[in-house]
Amino acid sequence: MIAAVDVRWWIFLHVAGVLVFVMAHGVSIAVALRLRRERDRARIAALLQFSGASVLWMYVSLLWLVVAGVITAFAISAWGKWWLWVSIGLLLVVIAEMNAVAKPYYQRVKEAVEVRPSGVPRRSDQELDEILRSPTALVNTMIGFGALVVILWLMIFNPGV
């Protein structure tokens, strides 16, 4: 059995990974919400680039929190607990949803603000406006936040233990 002090360190590292993840991903969320009001193509492109700059940290911190979480689960003998599996399942569902919905949405936004060599935008202002007014960014934000709150609740209260 791992000593209690070791378990606390693994929990600390797991939570620290979550904090870095939320900070890095917060950039993308702020950009997503700002894009809904922005119509200047150059500013939209700059916001997308800014958001993209935080993605590496988001994935590094996701790996960090998963590794620390797996080690913590071993340390506290939680692999037989349903709350752990629900948490893992929620994380996987949200990752899949973000890749299936959010990623293509932002790709469409990126393509919509591109300008052809002739100087003509690839999408009309009306098409760009329709893409940006889509509820996709809000829905994804709510899904991600909701999943994090449920996972937090499961981790803190360990229901069924």
Side-chain angles (χ1 to χ4, degrees), residues 93-155:
V93 165
V94 171
I95 289 170
E97 189 276 337
M98 294 294 169
N99 278 299
V101 177
K103 195 172 185 178
Y105 169 75
Y106 291 106
Q107 187 59 42
R108 281 197 341 262
V109 173
K110 184 179 177 183
E111 290 169 0
V113 298
E114 288 177 349
V115 178
R116 293 184 177 107
S118 64
V120 176
R122 294 197 180 276
R123 301 277 186 261
S124 71
D125 289 344
Q126 182 180 350
E127 289 174 301
L128 175 60
D129 184 63
E130 286 174 16
I131 293 168
L132 295 174
R133 283 189 299 114
S134 161
T136 302
L138 292 174
V139 170
N140 278 308
T141 299
M142 289 186 287
I143 288 170
F145 179 75
L148 282 176
V149 168
V150 171
I151 291 170
L152 175 65
W153 182 81
L154 290 166
M155 297 290 151

Side-chain angles (χ1 to χ4, degrees), residues 10 15-16 18 23 25 29 36 39 78 83 85-86 89 93 98 106 109 111 116 124 127-128 137 153 156:
W10 285 115
V15 173
V18 172
M23 287 173 43
H25 206 41
I29 293 167
R36 293 180 52 78
R39 294 301 178 266
W83 59 265
W85 291 103
V86 171
V93 165
M98 294 294 169
Y106 291 106
V109 173
E111 290 169 0
R116 293 184 177 107
S124 71
E127 289 174 301
L128 175 60
W153 182 81
I156 300 272

Side-chain angles (χ1 to χ4, degrees), residues 27-37 51 105-106 137 141:
V27 172
S28 293
I29 293 167
V31 166
L33 298 177
R34 178 66 184 111
L35 284 176
R36 293 180 52 78
R37 296 185 314 272
S51 176
Y105 169 75
Y106 291 106
T141 299

